Amino acid sequence: MEIFGGLEHTVRETEPLAPHTWLMLGGPARFYAEPTCRDDLAEVVRRARENDVPTRLLGGGSNVLVRDHGYDGVVINLSAPAFSEIRVDGNELYAGAGAKLSHVVATSVREGLAGLEHLVGIPGSVGGALHLNSGSRSTDIGQWTRGATVLTRDGELITRQSNELVFSYRQSSLDELAILDAKFLLEEEDPAELTRRLQKLWIVRRANQPSGERGTCCMFRDPQGVSATELIEQVNLKGTSVGRVTLYDRDPNFLLADPGASSDDVLKLMDLVRERVATTFEIELDAELQIW
Ligand SMILES: Cc1cc2nc3c(=O)[nH]c(=O)nc-3n(C[C@H](O)[C@H](O)[C@H](O)COP(=O)(O)OP(=O)(O)OC[C@H]3O[C@@H](n4cnc5c(N)ncnc54)[C@H](O)[C@@H]3O)c2cc1C
């Protein structure tokens, strides 16, 4: 712990990452940091940079697969209260990157602010959602984002205004080391009406995707104009397993990992799906899941 000497309140050594991810798989991180304030975060990042220790941000872990051998670097998580504040001012909602997306959605609906309710049921944090421009078929988080604060790899704090932000399908220009917070501009609507819409959206999601259960993830991005789910359905792989990992029957672009599964099983199953789709349709599926 020499590298992070004096930061023992923030950094732990050899931390298992499986419990921090939605899939609950994979090996440990060499270091795991939970900074309690921006100064703490800046210090962790500075020490890592000066000692050439690779650094990654982990939000809710709902889109990350950690390999079985783990991650030889420092993983930073921003779930401390200093990074998880949610505040509403008129039509604007401010959220720290560590806030749960579900809390942001619930707050916006309660305050009669429309837009983010379409993200109901997407697990994870605001930071992860912004980095990947997470969304539904009808909207994504980027559509409502009006600014964000980021920490660069050089340790510089920058506020990115609306005109500097680019969001596209599951991608955003917010690819600096850490997103710290963001501001959303939403539309006023009757909270009762919004709540009804939220409930309907939630029911539809529950009917189609594994929601609320750990040990799951979405594997592939939709290739242009086609749904990855439909492609996988058409190659008749529904219900296929490798080891203790199985394709989810209601949406085979999701998989379910049973206790005892390994990250290697997930990678093999993804390869199998990718190969079958490529052979049948000559379409290369890109992973949506971030593989560490
Ligand atoms: C059951 C289920 C349903 C899902 N449904 C959807 C869906 O409908 N739509 C959709 O778009 N996605 C969906 N996902 C995928 C996933 O939930 C989203 O991508 C989510 O927004 C990821 O957030 P996270 O905090 O868990 O990110 P993580 O998985 O922790 O991280 C994802 C990426 O973001 C980066 N990151 C995280 N926090 C920060 C930060 N503060 N600063 C910089 N980079 C950061 C990480 O380094 C990593 O590269 C689903 C996943 C599951 C398991």
Side-chain angles (χ1 to χ4, degrees):
M1 275 289 277
E2 247 172 63
I3 297 171
F4 296 108
L7 290 173
E8 289 78 9
H9 61 292
T10 298
V11 185
R12 297 194 287 275
E13 204 167 354
T14 322
E15 169 87 358
L17 286 177
H20 297 288
T21 67
W22 210 254
L23 274 169
M24 297 192 297
L25 299 176
R30 185 171 160 212
F31 300 107
Y32 188 80
E34 287 175 319
T36 53
C37 61
R38 284 189 179 189
D39 287 346
D40 231 14
L41 169 66
E43 187 58 16
V44 171
V45 170
R46 188 181 70 78
R47 303 255 193 116
R49 187 177 63 245
E50 286 179 359
N51 292 281
D52 290 326
V53 178
T55 307
R56 280 187 171 161
L57 265 287
L58 183 68
S62 63
N63 211 7
V64 166
L65 171 71
V66 179
R67 289 180 193 271
D68 291 321
H69 57 73
Y71 177 66
D72 187 15
V74 54
V75 171
I76 301 179
N77 179 264
L78 300 182
S79 56
F83 299 102
S84 307
E85 194 193 346
I86 303 173
R87 218 172 40 233
V88 171
D89 182 10
N91 278 14
E92 282 185 354
L93 187 148
Y94 161 95
K100 287 190 174 159
L101 191 61
S102 58
H103 291 179
V104 169
V105 169
T107 305
S108 63
V109 167
R110 196 181 56 236
E111 297 288 329
L113 294 174
L116 299 177
E117 70 280 5
H118 293 274
L119 310 183
V120 66
I122 302 181
S125 67
V126 168
L130 285 164
H131 179 65
L132 296 167
N133 191 23
S134 299
S136 63
R137 282 184 198 275
S138 52
T139 190
D140 53 46
I141 195 164
Q143 187 183 338
W144 307 96
T145 308
R146 291 298 172 270
T149 314
V150 297
L151 181 73
T152 66
R153 287 179 175 75
D154 295 331
E156 199 186 350
L157 268 183
I158 299 178
T159 303
R160 299 250 178 252
Q161 305 295 348
S162 247
N163 59 355
E164 297 171 82
L165 300 177
V166 183
F167 293 98
S168 54
Y169 173 68
R170 304 295 171 261
Q171 261 183 321
S172 88
S173 56
L174 288 167
D175 56 1
E176 281 93 356
L177 178 67
I179 301 162
L180 301 189
D181 58 41
K183 206 168 61 184
F184 305 98
L185 186 63
L186 304 170
E187 291 168 356
E188 274 177 41
E189 204 177 309
D190 172 36
E193 185 53 43
L194 258 178
T195 304
R196 274 194 289 279
R197 193 184 315 143
L198 180 84
Q199 285 165 345
K200 277 192 200 157
L201 288 162
W202 177 237
I203 290 166
V204 172
R205 173 174 280 275
R206 283 214 68 135
N208 298 309
Q209 286 185 1
S211 27
E213 307 157 29
R214 291 232 158 196
T216 63
C217 75
C218 179
M219 295 182 291
F220 298 105
R221 300 152 60 92
D222 288 339
Q224 260 185 344
V226 204
S227 133
T229 299
E230 281 169 23
L231 291 174
I232 303 168
E233 270 168 357
Q234 285 172 35
V235 294
N236 295 322
L237 282 174
K238 252 187 174 182
T240 300
S241 301
V242 171
R244 292 179 168 270
V245 182
T246 310
L247 298 183
Y248 182 62
D249 53 358
R250 273 184 274 165
D251 183 339
N253 194 23
F254 279 84
L255 53 77
L256 305 179
D258 285 339
S262 70
S263 300
D264 215 36
D265 292 339
V266 173
L267 293 170
K268 283 185 184 139
L269 186 54
M270 287 178 72
D271 280 348
L272 178 75
V273 173
R274 203 187 270 113
E275 261 173 50
R276 186 72 73 86
V277 169
T279 319
T280 314
F281 299 110
E282 295 186 1
I283 294 177
E284 287 297 325
L285 290 175
D286 283 336
E288 177 170 316
L289 191 62
Q290 314 279 299
I291 296 162
W292 286 14

